[in-house]
Amino acid sequence: MSEDQQFTEIERLRLAKLQALRQQGQEPFPPRVERTHSTAEAIAAYEAAGEQPVSATLVGRIRSMRLMGKLAFAHIEDGYGTLQLFLRADDFGAEALQHFKDHYDLGDFVEAQGEMFRTKAGEISLNVKVLRMIAKAITPLPAAKDEVVDGEVVRHATLADPETRYRQRYADLAVNPQVREVFRIRAAILRALREFLDKHDFLEVETPVLQPVYGGAAARPFVTHHNQLKQDLYLRISFELYLKRLLVGGIERVYEIGRDFRNEGVDRTHNPEFTMLEFYMAYADYQRVMEFTEEMMNFVGKQVLGGSKFSYQGHDIDLANAWPRISIADAVQEFAGIDLSKYPDAASLAAVMAEKKYKVRAGGSRGKLIEDLVGDHVEPLLIQPSFLYDYPREVSPLAKSQPGDANTVERFEGYMGGFEICNAFSELNDPLDQQARFEEMGRSLKADDEDLHPMDEDYLRAMRYGMPPNGGFGMGIDRITMLFTDQPNIREVILFPHLRRREGE
RNA sequence: GGUCCCGUAGCUCAAUGGUAGAGCAGUUGACUCUUAAUCAAUUGGUUGAAGGUUCGAGUCCUUCCGGGAUCACCA
């Protein structure tokens, strides 16, 4: 491929401008810049000085240009806002103005030194004395133009194609300010969660991403290989079993925020890698964790949104209302019209579901069928923050059974906006019961997939040393971010979501 | 993986089976208070790829690539 063919016509023109700058002794990518004010600071300083001229050196990216014969206007954008540059032949120099017109483009980063003033049209601007290129843009940004309507900046014909936006997130972020805002909120959520947990004496830890035995959830793992050890390793599907080992070690309250990997289908609420918070709290049960969850989410709302109310996809949601707590049995009775106590086994439950024309999965256990009922008939209705509790034992191998009801475990899930946001239980700490559950699960999984044997002997050994009773909790950060930023798709809250590889890339 | 929809200029989008277009961006010129600046002129295309039907395909058919929605899957 010749050099000409890898660049578009516009790019070749810009490369020529870059070469011209170099030939004139102006380095288009200098290593150091001057900056006395951000754009916001410069405006504040000018106002604070009673609108008397204030000297300032600003940096930023050129976002608009309006060129006239002996006068030019341009807006630059930095991390704090935008500001208009005013270049007039009288002050800036006729030759310098022509040089600017010939060599500077939208998207270039510049350093501008001059004095703050107000234009005749009333906009606080920088009357530029000296302008310098600090990073030349070869490829044009995909945005068209900004229009100011009632003080709001409206950007026209901006990058909209989702594929390009995700593959070239840098371009998306550069031209779509609302995308930057999503990730600012995401960071604020993480900060607030850490602040809350730290305040409550939790210790933040990091546990292995590469694991010889995966576990803690029912999901297919990614497999990788360590060459020197000649050993297959799995990317973790949860943190659970490692974090609970730490309770055995005497850490009473522990949490981890990090990445989980699940080799499963991809849709608008699932990405192959996603960010999870898990915490474990010794001497707490699932009821205590439920209260703590409400408290934590209200704290996050206050820190991130400044209150408890937000809107998600047209629904007004309020974190501060007491979160309704509904048992699985009551929820299924109310929303699916089935009294679970009358159908004690998979066959009879499947029969009544078929009678009601509900979807029935072939060969599903009673617990699995109950989960399906909840997923189809209850979950989509739970728009306001709500808890479902008391789950079937056979879909919860790490949760403690209810006293007096071995088939029901002390577990809850939190819902908001019509999807699951968290999952928690009174953690099983009886090593003998745990071993039986693993064996049970091994058998039921074996029927589907011979490869799935998540028996973790070392975890059982840890538990035999004695694990304090504790409540555990897991929450998907991506989904919380979707809710708080009103995004319908998980890819909108992940900077570089996974997409299929394109030919030749 | 199944089904449906989509892919046209750098960006946003048009085009009954009949000459591939517009706005913005770009280029050239005019303009000393513009702000989607304005005015005049103008460049830019293997219509995602490869086949097929047809006198003629952006449009119809097949396969492939990529994306979106939905279903399946996901304690």
Side-chain angles (χ1 to χ4, degrees):
Chain A
M1 185 186 278
S2 81
E3 197 166 296
D4 271 8
Q5 283 169 329
Q6 41 181 312
F7 293 108
T8 65
E9 186 187 344
I10 294 175
E11 288 170 333
R12 285 196 294 272
L13 281 162
R14 290 191 174 197
L15 284 166
K17 293 176 184 180
L18 185 150
Q19 283 306 93
L21 285 171
R22 283 226 167 93
Q23 277 161 15
Q24 294 161 34
Q26 297 166 49
E27 171 52 43
F29 299 99
R32 273 165 288 283
V33 302
E34 288 289 315
R35 184 190 213 180
T36 62
H37 300 72
S38 69
T39 56
E41 286 166 349
I43 291 168
Y46 177 68
E47 286 171 337
E51 306 219 347
Q52 292 305 301
V54 171
S55 291
T57 303
L58 308 177
V59 292
R61 174 183 250 157
I62 300 175
R63 295 315 306 254
S64 67
M65 292 170 92
R66 293 168 294 284
L67 310 178
M68 272 154 275
K70 296 204 166 64
L71 186 64
F73 297 88
H75 273 95
I76 58 166
E77 177 182 53
D78 67 5
Y80 302 87
T82 62
L83 193 140
Q84 181 169 256
L85 303 183
F86 177 87
L87 303 111
R88 184 166 62 167
D90 296 348
D91 307 305
F92 184 58
E95 216 169 291
L97 184 61
Q98 193 56 48
H99 181 266
F100 170 72
K101 291 184 191 174
D102 290 343
H103 299 88
Y104 286 61
D105 292 297
L106 294 177
D108 293 347
F109 284 89
V110 299
E111 172 196 280
Q113 184 262 311
E115 286 196 342
M116 299 296 295
F117 79 116
R118 198 181 273 277
T119 63
K120 285 179 188 168
E123 179 165 348
I124 295 174
S125 307
L126 185 75
N127 187 7
V128 178
K129 301 288 191 297
V130 183
L131 186 73
R132 186 165 70 114
M133 182 74 74
I134 58 174
K136 181 76 188 159
I138 307 302
T139 304
L141 287 170
K145 296 200 167 184
D146 288 350
E147 178 184 17
V148 179
V149 180
D150 300 331
E152 295 288 309
V153 175
V154 179
R155 196 155 282 179
H156 290 270
T158 192
L159 182 64
D161 173 43
E163 181 175 357
T164 312
R165 288 186 47 235
Y166 301 146
R167 286 192 198 277
Q168 299 187 37
R169 185 66 95 177
Y170 34 87
D172 185 32
L173 288 162
V175 302
N176 289 320
Q178 72 280 11
V179 176
R180 294 202 287 256
E181 179 63 8
V182 165
F183 293 99
R184 201 192 58 74
I185 291 173
R186 183 178 174 119
I189 290 168
L190 288 167
R191 203 178 317 124
L193 287 167
R194 285 195 165 98
E195 185 183 343
F196 183 83
L197 291 166
D198 292 345
K199 204 168 67 177
H200 286 85
D201 287 333
F202 280 79
L203 181 72
E204 180 171 10
V205 299
E206 294 174 279
T207 61
V209 170
L210 295 174
Q211 304 183 346
V213 180
Y214 62 93
R220 249 179 302 225
F222 288 92
V223 188
T224 186
H225 186 78
H226 191 292
N227 290 335
Q228 197 202 337
L229 298 179
K230 295 190 172 62
Q231 177 187 15
D232 281 343
L233 291 167
Y234 303 94
L235 273 63
R236 64 181 172 190
I237 58 173
S238 85
F239 322 151
E240 171 139 6
L241 300 183
Y242 278 97
L243 291 179
K244 284 196 285 191
R245 282 170 166 93
L246 299 175
L247 297 190
V248 172
I251 300 174
E252 277 196 20
R253 295 183 171 196
V254 66
Y255 75 97
E256 179 164 4
I257 292 174
R259 213 67 63 83
D260 274 340
F261 306 86
R262 296 187 183 177
N263 208 339
E264 308 277 0
V266 175
D267 64 27
R268 67 182 195 85
T269 56
H270 294 84
N271 194 62
E273 57 179 294
F274 59 99
T275 301
M276 192 77 175
L277 160 68
E278 287 190 27
F279 70 70
Y280 294 84
M281 195 178 190
Y283 313 117
D285 70 347
Y286 77 138
Q287 292 289 346
R288 172 72 189 107
V289 174
M290 244 187 262
E291 288 162 20
F292 193 71
T293 302
E294 268 191 66
E295 231 180 288
M296 180 171 75
M297 292 312 295
N298 271 284
F299 179 81
V300 173
K302 195 172 140 213
Q303 297 293 305
V304 177
L305 306 168
S308 64
K309 294 183 178 150
F310 63 97
S311 170
Y312 184 68
Q313 303 295 297
H315 299 289
D316 291 323
I317 293 178
D318 192 343
L319 298 164
N321 296 332
W323 299 21
R325 301 175 182 200
I326 315 165
S327 74
I328 291 289
D330 288 348
V332 169
Q333 172 75 72
E334 184 175 344
F335 299 110
I338 293 178
D339 181 350
L340 290 175
S341 66
K342 291 185 183 159
Y343 309 99
D345 54 71
S348 61
L349 183 57
V352 69
M353 285 168 69
E355 198 177 297
K356 286 184 175 291
K357 306 258 193 296
Y358 295 165
K359 263 187 309 183
V360 183
R361 86 169 59 217
S365 68
R366 181 170 182 272
K368 197 75 196 146
L369 293 173
I370 292 171
E371 277 198 331
D372 289 345
L373 283 170
V374 170
D376 292 342
H377 303 279
V378 184
E379 182 168 344
L381 303 175
L382 300 178
I383 303 296
Q384 295 301 319
S386 317
F387 293 120
L388 294 181
Y389 65 92
D390 289 356
Y391 278 70
R393 169 194 160 108
E394 62 268 35
V395 293
S396 317
L398 299 161
K400 191 174 280 191
S401 290
Q402 297 241 322
D405 180 3
N407 289 323
T408 304
V409 296
E410 297 198 348
R411 171 180 171 192
F412 75 83
E413 289 190 347
Y415 291 85
M416 212 186 292
F419 51 78
E420 178 193 336
I421 59 158
C422 65
N423 181 18
F425 25 91
S426 300
E427 301 289 337
L428 182 53
N429 62 340
D430 172 346
L432 304 178
D433 191 358
Q434 184 66 73
Q435 179 157 7
R437 303 282 197 97
F438 276 153
E439 282 164 0
E440 222 172 83
M441 184 169 60
R443 273 198 301 277
S444 68
L445 288 168
K446 205 168 181 177
D448 297 319
D449 189 335
E450 297 252 320
D451 294 330
L452 293 174
H453 292 288
M455 171 72 80
D456 190 331
E457 297 288 356
D458 180 71
Y459 175 64
L460 291 172
R461 174 169 59 197
M463 204 182 270
R464 286 195 294 268
Y465 278 108
M467 178 188 291
N470 69 93
F473 173 93
M475 180 168 80
I477 300 300
D478 310 280
R479 291 192 184 173
I480 295 300
T481 307
M482 287 169 68
L483 287 163
F484 279 25
T485 58
D486 197 17
Q487 295 297 331
N489 195 308
I490 197 167
R491 290 186 173 129
E492 294 292 346
V493 303
I494 293 174
L495 279 168
F496 299 100
H498 182 73
L499 296 181
R500 199 182 300 271
R501 183 192 180 86
R502 302 201 76 161
E503 263 183 311
E505 283 187 16

